[in-house]
Amino acid sequence: MRSPTDEELMERFCDGEHAAFEALFARHAGRVQGFLTRMVRDGPLAEDLLQTTFLSVIRARGRYEPGTRFAPWLLTIAANAARDALRRRQHVEAFSKERDPSPSSVQPGVGDPGMRRRLEDALQQLPPDQREAVILSKVEGWSFEEIASMRGISVGAARVRAHRGYEKLRQLLEGLEEA
């Protein structure tokens, strides 16, 4: 006997079967948390956003359309939560700089010998749309068609976002190497 698809589980959950939601959570929580961690680069925040994402799934179940692919729908919710959190963080940091204008003497990533750390630092410097396209295409292995569908943009726009992200990463990593 085959296990139910994500879409079947979501339809069951929409019909009131709570065990179906638990199965969806068990299947996707790890992947979503990894995605969120790479997006916000803050483990505790990513855990909070994971909970926020699945609470949003519960709240939005009435708007889920049968036949909609579940994984892109879920990652769209997660990406929106990450973007919101990053915007809030930028506002808080901007407010903090206004109150304490003294610059930090240590730049993140400088002197760190690990390429992974440098790459993570460089990823955080990308605009959220580019970071999302790079992570989804290179880390998650999504096609540009899947990214475009998830974001509601054209395939060309998804490619452009990813390409601009790759170019910016290349520049940032060259700069870090020289430092």
Side-chain angles (χ1 to χ4, degrees), residues 8 10 39-40 46-47 64 76 79 87 95 117 119 127-128 134 139-140 144 150-152 154 160-161 168 174 179:
E8 290 168 340
M10 188 60 191
M39 284 294 290
V40 299
E47 288 178 24
Y64 178 80
T76 298
R87 271 194 295 275
F95 180 73
R117 172 73 182 190
L119 179 59
V134 168
V139 178
E140 296 292 330
F144 291 116
M150 175 185 144
R151 297 299 308 138
S154 70
V160 166
R161 287 180 184 181
K168 179 85 173 170
E174 284 174 7

Side-chain angles (χ1 to χ4, degrees), residues 67-177:
T68 301
R69 290 188 48 219
F70 178 76
W73 184 74
L74 175 64
L75 279 180
T76 298
I77 293 170
N80 289 336
R83 275 194 297 281
D84 289 345
L86 291 170
R87 271 194 295 275
R88 280 191 302 276
R89 181 189 293 168
Q90 285 176 338
H91 290 300
V92 168
E93 288 173 359
F95 180 73
S96 296
K97 286 179 184 176
E98 287 176 12
R99 296 187 62 150
D100 180 19
S102 60
S104 172
S105 61
V106 179
Q107 296 177 354
V110 174
D112 189 327
M115 185 59 174
R116 181 180 180 92
R117 172 73 182 190
R118 285 181 271 180
L119 179 59
E120 289 172 355
D121 289 341
L123 268 172
Q124 292 309 305
Q125 295 179 48
L126 296 179
D129 286 345
Q130 291 177 11
R131 180 180 328 131
E132 179 182 61
V134 168
I135 291 171
L136 288 173
S137 67
K138 291 297 182 189
V139 178
E140 296 292 330
W142 285 39
S143 71
F144 291 116
E145 290 78 11
E146 290 172 316
I147 295 169
S149 174
M150 175 185 144
R151 297 299 308 138
I153 58 177
S154 70
V155 174
R159 281 193 172 103
V160 166
R161 287 180 184 181
H163 177 72
R164 287 181 181 160
Y166 304 148
E167 289 301 314
K168 179 85 173 170
L169 279 176
R170 195 171 291 118
Q171 292 170 356
L172 291 169
L173 292 172
E174 284 174 7
L176 289 173
E177 284 295 321

